[in-house]
Amino acid sequence: MKKLVILALLSLNASAQTCLDDVTETASAEQFVVNTDGTATHTERGLMWMRCSLGQTYSNNDCIGEGDELNWQQALDEAHGYTFAGKSGWRVPNLKELATLTERACVRPAINETVFPSTLSDDYWTSTPAVTDANRAWVVAFFNSSNALKEKRLFVYTRLVRTVD
């Protein structure tokens, strides 16, 4: 019985973001202008982000539904010609761009949930391919703000970005 209670408590805790109070924020809400159209603009970097993952719908300041898991080529293809919030020019971010969204003071997910609600605590594609292996590309893990190479054939989440006009 004790094991069941402990497992139940662990599963409840596994879905909640955990942040450390004594660590300086790396992606504070003040760095972004949160727009009413489901986008957020990082003014210092000149980038506009979709607040939700591809496959989710932005509604009432939240991201509803499940994100789409795509392989790397599908993510690139989906971004090509994508229109959102009346804007075009959306693309899969490169590794450096996507890494700027990670909140290193938090895990599960390692992102500012005020700006990017309902972000999945999982890997997200970047457009950055591996230099030495044509079958791999970089991902950013919003579980713990790490990055790694993944095989392009694997199915991973995606968040799009565009350069501000």
Side-chain angles (χ1 to χ4, degrees), residues 3 31 40 49 57 137 154:
K3 288 182 183 178
Q31 295 176 14
W49 293 91
T57 303
L154 297 177

Side-chain angles (χ1 to χ4, degrees), residues 52-57 63-69 118 120 124 157:
C52 301
S53 306
L54 277 179
Q56 291 180 312
T57 303
C63 298
I64 310 301
E66 296 295 318
D68 291 339
E69 293 182 90
S118 301
L120 300 145
Y124 279 72
Y157 297 106

Side-chain angles (χ1 to χ4, degrees), residues 97-156:
E97 290 169 335
L98 190 56
T100 66
L101 296 188
T102 61
E103 178 50 69
R104 296 185 182 275
C106 301
V107 295
R108 295 185 205 114
I111 195 166
N112 186 310
E113 287 190 308
T114 302
V115 180
F116 301 100
S118 301
T119 295
L120 300 145
S121 296
D122 211 328
D123 294 335
Y124 279 72
W125 282 123
T126 76
S127 61
T128 308
V131 174
T132 59
D133 185 348
N135 295 315
R136 294 179 181 255
W138 287 96
V139 297
V140 171
F142 284 99
F143 175 79
N144 63 0
S145 74
S146 63
N147 52 60
L149 287 169
K150 290 271 184 177
E151 290 191 23
K152 293 177 180 178
R153 65 177 175 77
L154 297 177
F155 293 91
V156 174

Side-chain angles (χ1 to χ4, degrees), residues 22-117:
D22 58 343
V23 175
T24 304
E25 288 181 302
T26 57
S28 68
E30 292 77 29
Q31 295 176 14
F32 297 90
V33 173
V34 176
N35 306 305
T36 59
D37 60 3
T39 65
T41 304
H42 193 288
T43 53
E44 184 179 314
R45 298 189 187 277
L47 297 174
M48 177 180 285
W49 293 91
M50 288 176 56
R51 294 182 69 194
C52 301
S53 306
L54 277 179
Q56 291 180 312
T57 303
Y58 180 76
S59 176
N60 295 322
N61 209 31
D62 199 4
C63 298
I64 310 301
E66 296 295 318
D68 291 339
E69 293 182 90
L70 306 170
N71 68 38
W72 190 70
Q73 190 60 55
Q74 288 172 329
L76 295 176
D77 291 345
E78 183 74 18
H80 183 74
Y82 198 82
T83 300
F84 179 75
K87 296 174 176 45
S88 58
W90 295 99
R91 58 186 169 76
V92 177
N94 66 44
L95 177 60
K96 288 182 180 183
E97 290 169 335
L98 190 56
T100 66
L101 296 188
T102 61
E103 178 50 69
R104 296 185 182 275
C106 301
V107 295
R108 295 185 205 114
I111 195 166
N112 186 310
E113 287 190 308
T114 302
V115 180
F116 301 100

